[in-house]
Amino acid sequence: MPETTVPATELASQYINQVTGDLESNVKEQERINAEIAALQEQLAALQRDHTVLVNVQKALGIAKAQAEQTTEPERVEVPSPRRKKAGAASGGKAKAPASSAAPRKSTAKKSPVEGAETAKAGAAKVSTAKAGASKAGASKAAAQPTLVELIRRHLADQKEPRSAAEISTALGKAHPKRDIAAKVVRVTLEGLVAKSQAERTKQGRSVFYSAPASEPTPAPETQAQNDDADH
C-alpha cells in the first residue's frame, strides 16, 4: 500500500507545480498587455486632440472659401433693348433723340469682385496660418512630453534601492502634478517593463519592489560580427 501512495503523491506535486507556473505566466502576460493598452490609449488621446484642431481648421477654410466664391461672382446688369425708330425718322426727317428712361446709376463705394476675392483670400490665409500654428504647437508639445514608460524608466535608473509601485506612483505624481498618473497604471507598466527585461522585480514577503536592470545583455560574437559587416 505505501508503494502505491508515493508515486501518486509525486504526480500530484508535479501537476501543482505546472499549474502554478502556468498561472503566473498567464498573469504576467495579462499585465504586459494592459501596459501596452494604456500606452496606446495615451497615443489615441493625442491623435484625437490633433483631429479636433484639424477639423476646426477645415471648417474655417470651408467658410472662407464659400465667401470668396460669392464675392467673385460677377453682377448681372440688365441692358435695355434698342428702341425702334419712328416712321418720321425712316422717311428722312430728323428725329429727336429719345430721352433715356433709365436713371443714371449712382457710384457706389463697393469693391470690385477681384478686390473682394483678394480680401477674402487674405483673411482665409490668416485664419489658416493661425490655426496651423496652434495645431503645430499642440503637436510639438505633445511630442516633447515624455511617455509614462520613459518616466518610470528614468525614475528607476535614478534610484539606488528597489521601490514599490505605490512609491513610484507617488514620486511621479509630485514631479509631474499636471499629469494624471494612477497607481494601477504604474504597476501595470512596471510589469510590462519586467516582461521586456527593462526592469527587475523582487519580492519581500507579500510586497513587490521594482528596480532598473543590472546591466544590458551583451550581444553574441556572431551577432556583433554581423552588425559590423552591415555597418561597412
Side-chain angles (χ1 to χ4, degrees), residues 33-46:
I33 293 175
N34 287 330
E36 293 180 356
I37 291 174
L40 291 174
Q41 287 178 346
E42 290 184 358
Q43 297 179 5
L44 178 60

Side-chain angles (χ1 to χ4, degrees), residues 24-231:
E24 291 181 356
S25 300
N26 186 284
V27 172
K28 290 180 180 179
E29 186 67 15
Q30 290 184 26
E31 293 176 346
R32 181 185 65 81
I33 293 175
N34 287 330
E36 293 180 356
I37 291 174
L40 291 174
Q41 287 178 346
E42 290 184 358
Q43 297 179 5
L44 178 60
L47 290 174
Q48 289 176 345
R49 290 193 295 268
D50 294 342
H51 179 267
T52 302
V53 174
L54 293 174
V55 168
N56 292 332
V57 173
Q58 187 182 32
K59 290 181 179 179
L61 293 177
I63 295 173
K65 183 178 179 181
Q67 292 178 351
E69 291 178 352
Q70 293 177 1
T71 307
T72 54
E73 184 178 358
E75 298 180 357
R76 295 181 179 179
V77 181
E78 295 183 359
V79 180
S81 58
R83 300 180 65 181
R84 296 181 179 180
K85 295 181 180 181
K86 294 183 178 180
S91 61
K94 294 182 180 181
K96 294 182 180 180
S100 176
S101 60
R105 298 182 63 184
K106 296 182 180 180
S107 60
T108 59
K110 293 183 180 179
K111 296 181 179 180
S112 63
V114 177
E115 293 177 352
E118 292 178 353
T119 304
K121 289 181 180 179
K126 290 182 180 179
V127 173
S128 176
T129 303
K131 294 292 185 179
S135 177
K136 290 181 180 179
S140 61
K141 184 178 180 181
Q145 188 176 13
T147 61
L148 181 60
V149 176
E150 294 176 354
L151 292 178
I152 292 176
R153 292 181 62 184
R154 294 176 186 175
H155 182 75
L156 293 178
D158 294 339
Q159 302 302 314
K160 296 181 180 179
E161 297 180 357
R163 292 287 185 268
S164 65
E167 292 175 342
I168 296 172
S169 176
T170 303
L172 293 178
K174 292 181 179 179
H176 305 276
K178 294 183 179 181
R179 297 189 60 169
D180 186 12
I181 300 177
K184 184 176 181 181
V185 178
V186 171
R187 183 178 62 81
V188 173
T189 305
L190 286 168
E191 291 297 333
L193 292 175
V194 172
K196 296 179 181 179
S197 300
Q198 297 179 0
E200 294 182 355
R201 178 177 59 181
T202 56
K203 288 186 177 180
Q204 296 181 7
R206 294 184 178 181
S207 301
V208 180
F209 297 90
Y210 302 89
S211 60
S215 60
E216 297 292 337
T218 56
E222 296 181 358
T223 307
Q224 184 67 26
Q226 293 176 358
N227 294 333
D228 295 339
D229 294 339
D231 295 337

